[in-house]
Amino acid sequence: MHTLEELLAHWLPQQRWFAGKGSPITGVTLEAESVLVPGDPELRHLVVAVRQDSGVDRYQVLLGLRGGEELPDRLRHASLGGYTPGAGGSAGTGPVQVYDALHDAELTSALLAGLAAGADLGGLRLRHIAGVEIDTGHTSLVISGEQSNTSLMFGDAYVLKVFRRLWPGLNPDLELTSVLSERGSPYVARPFGWIEGSVAGTPTTCALLQQFLVSATDGWLLAATSVRDLYSTPDLPPGQAGGDFAGEAARLGAATAAVHRKLAEALPTGTVGDAELAELADSMNQRLTRAAASVPGLAPYTDGLRAAFKALTELDEPMPVQRVHGDYHLGQVVRTDAGWVLLDFEGEPAKPVPERTQLSNPLRDVAGMLRSFDYAARYQLVGHPYAEELAAPAREWAQHNRTAFCAGYAAAGGTDPMAHQAVLRAFEFDKAVYEVMYEAHNRPSWLGIPLSSIAALVG
Ligand SMILES: Nc1ncnc2c1ncn2[C@@H]1O[C@H](COP(=O)(O)OP(=O)(O)O)[C@@H](O)[C@H]1O
Ligand SMILES: O=P(O)(O)O[C@H]1O[C@H](CO)[C@@H](O[C@H]2O[C@H](CO)[C@@H](O)[C@H](O)[C@H]2O)[C@H](O)[C@H]1O
């Protein structure tokens, strides 16, 4: 029989949201453990500290425990295995089966009920926004997808995003969606509540409850459909192919500019001069050094990339900064029947929260979305029999929608991205370097996407 720590050490690296893939786990300790719902099944909350060569990361696990030799069929896919708990458990004294409780609607209903009641459960505080009444008559389902966290849909009413990698403090997703929603922005899903725990002695956001956008379609899926249409008529310019995305891209640009403006009105802004710009270029160079050390395919392009980062230190004027989204791409935006809505203001999940909340230039987000157009245009060519023939139409699609997005952004009052090429280029390259590391660790078959963009852009 294994210990709980051993079960976790085996299970964690298999999870999509586990950030430390590719390097062995050298130790697992339970930094915090509390029973949220006693009985059989039991709901337990864990903060798990995972030691790897790179250091120690914390993850949040909601564990279900059921007595007996086997889990019901519906939960088997979420199993970690069997173990015999020590004192303090409530699911019996014999062996129990443990599993990812987020897949068990019988247990997650306690989270929704706790949020509705403003309850304290175990070491967690479950709270709702003042004046909001939470309807507890919904059962949960895990939203499947390539995600950094785990989100549950409660019927068609709520999404509960359970953060996986925990950083002490207020999560920027809760912070920024609250700020925008309080100021009446139609471009975010309303936050309804949150779950807070304590990590390293600091009150820490563990989960965010938001309005479920019933009519939402993922921006990534919409863009992918448009690209597929173009592939079927590769001789037509993207603007004339069925399913042209440019109108949506322009509206998305306008929504992005409106969100940036609202963030600038509500939260601190500033400008950065030579010293900070040198620091920014330096941090981009450091990220490149780390990426090049683990992905040899980057080597031919490092000089070109470094030249683009250096251009940040040669700007003629100070650079305006403010709070931004920080990890902006087509998977973070949904098209509803009322227009585009921006999700997931968490920033890059791999960065510590203090870094993610630093003020930045809004063109960082613009660059993120432009990178995403490039991804959408190229990803269907991975392993495609006509990849070579379709490469040129793919480039045209990306360019066409890039132009439309930037025009929409500028027309809605955002800084004209086309007038700030050096800044835009540096952010795009930095994002592409991040993506190289991201793909190398998470989706090696997609590594060629950011690498080939870098090759094309660096020239
Ligand atoms: N409020 C919502 N309404 C409808 N769908 C949502 C909502 N929030 C998230 N989603 C869906 O879940 C996906 C992942 O959500 P996201 O917040 O980006 O999680 P992660 O941080 O794990 O990437 C989104 O791409 C979207 O399709
Ligand atoms: O949405 P997350 O916060 O989990 O963001 C991470 O995963 C994204 C992939 O799901 C990743 O985005 C990259 O792939 C997208 C296509 O799947 C593409 O549209 C983006 O442009 C590209 O950066 C994101 O970088 C990562 O932080």
Side-chain angles (χ1 to χ4, degrees):
M1 193 57 84
H2 296 285
T3 65
L4 183 52
E5 286 82 353
E6 284 166 349
L7 294 179
L8 286 162
H10 177 72
W11 177 76
L12 283 165
Q14 298 169 35
Q15 305 313 303
R16 166 67 180 78
W17 41 263
F18 182 72
K21 293 195 188 77
S23 116
I25 293 181
T26 53
V28 166
T29 42
L30 301 186
E31 205 172 271
E33 183 176 13
S34 67
V35 175
L36 306 186
V37 179
D40 185 357
E42 175 187 303
L43 177 60
R44 216 182 269 195
H45 181 261
L46 309 179
V47 178
V48 184
V50 178
R51 180 174 295 284
Q52 295 179 281
D53 286 348
S54 48
V56 177
D57 293 330
R58 294 186 180 91
Y59 293 90
Q60 169 169 232
V61 176
L62 282 125
L63 209 62
L65 290 84
R66 285 176 181 258
E69 293 300 319
E70 280 193 18
L71 286 174
D73 281 352
R74 69 183 172 87
L75 293 173
R76 254 185 224 155
H77 69 287
S79 172
L80 276 75
Y83 94 114
T84 306
S90 58
T93 47
V96 294
Q97 299 299 315
V98 291
Y99 59 97
D100 183 351
L102 295 180
H103 291 266
D104 189 352
E106 197 181 332
L107 289 175
T108 56
S109 61
L111 299 177
L112 193 61
L115 284 158
D120 289 353
L121 293 182
L124 300 182
R125 294 170 291 284
L126 289 75
R127 299 289 181 264
H128 56 257
I129 304 267
V132 165
E133 207 159 298
I134 309 286
D135 176 0
T136 56
H138 300 281
T139 45
S140 74
L141 202 62
V142 172
I143 299 183
S144 62
E146 301 211 319
Q147 287 186 250
S148 304
N149 299 292
T150 301
S151 296
L152 305 180
M153 277 166 67
F154 279 95
D156 59 3
Y158 311 114
V159 172
L160 180 68
K161 173 146 110 173
V162 178
F163 296 111
R164 288 302 194 165
R165 188 160 173 202
L166 290 183
W167 300 92
L170 174 64
N171 189 290
D173 202 5
L174 173 59
E175 182 196 6
L176 297 189
T177 43
S178 300
V179 160
L180 289 162
S181 178
E182 279 159 18
R183 282 159 184 78
S185 173
Y187 302 110
V188 286
R190 273 182 72 197
F192 287 143
W194 67 94
I195 299 179
E196 185 184 276
S198 180
V199 172
T202 305
T204 296
T205 317
C206 294
L208 167 62
L209 186 74
Q210 270 181 299
Q211 163 198 18
F212 178 73
L213 301 162
V214 183
S215 65
T217 309
D218 205 300
W220 175 255
L221 291 179
L222 288 174
T225 308
S226 163
V227 173
R228 234 186 331 269
D229 281 347
L230 175 67
Y231 287 171
S232 66
T233 51
D235 296 332
L236 286 180
Q240 288 170 28
D244 181 20
F245 189 71
E248 289 299 354
R251 282 185 283 277
L252 179 58
T256 310
V259 166
H260 281 156
R261 194 171 47 250
K262 196 65 95 183
L263 288 174
E265 283 163 15
L267 295 167
T269 58
T271 51
V272 294
D274 292 348
E276 293 99 333
L277 286 165
E279 263 175 46
L280 177 61
D282 192 44
S283 72
M284 291 177 174
N285 275 317
Q286 285 177 24
R287 173 135 100 170
L288 172 58
T289 304
R290 285 195 302 277
S294 62
V295 181
L298 261 179
Y301 314 114
T302 50
D303 287 350
L305 290 164
R306 289 193 199 284
F309 301 152
K310 184 161 180 281
L312 281 178
T313 65
E314 293 156 358
L315 299 179
D316 299 332
E317 47 188 8
M319 186 174 77
V321 288
Q322 62 162 90
R323 292 296 296 277
V324 298
H325 183 284
D327 188 20
Y328 202 42
H329 58 80
L330 283 161
Q332 313 280 42
V333 292
V334 287
R335 178 70 164 89
T336 70
D337 48 16
W340 286 101
V341 173
L342 282 55
L343 300 169
D344 197 2
F345 285 76
E346 209 193 345
E348 282 173 10
K351 279 188 186 165
V353 164
E355 263 180 59
R356 294 193 236 154
T357 54
Q358 270 170 13
L359 306 190
S360 185
N361 188 275
L363 292 183
R364 178 188 286 279
D365 288 343
V366 171
M369 193 53 76
L370 300 184
R371 288 288 316 123
S372 205
F373 289 142
D374 200 61
Y375 255 77
R378 287 169 191 265
Y379 89 100
Q380 295 176 68
L381 298 182
V382 176
H384 195 293
Y386 298 109
E388 225 167 276
E389 292 87 329
L390 293 173
R395 269 197 305 278
E396 278 171 39
W397 186 95
Q399 186 56 45
H400 178 64
N401 289 292
R402 180 185 172 93
T403 306
F405 179 87
C406 290
Y409 185 85
T415 318
D416 182 1
M418 292 306 144
H420 296 84
Q421 288 293 338
V423 176
L424 188 64
R425 200 172 147 82
F427 280 130
E428 274 191 81
F429 279 153
D430 180 52
K431 185 73 185 180
V433 169
Y434 165 81
E435 289 163 350
V436 164
M437 279 206 282
Y438 179 85
E439 301 303 352
H441 292 135
N442 292 286
R443 302 181 290 202
S445 63
W446 281 29
L447 177 59
I449 300 174
L451 269 183
S452 60
S453 318
I454 290 174
L457 288 167
V458 171

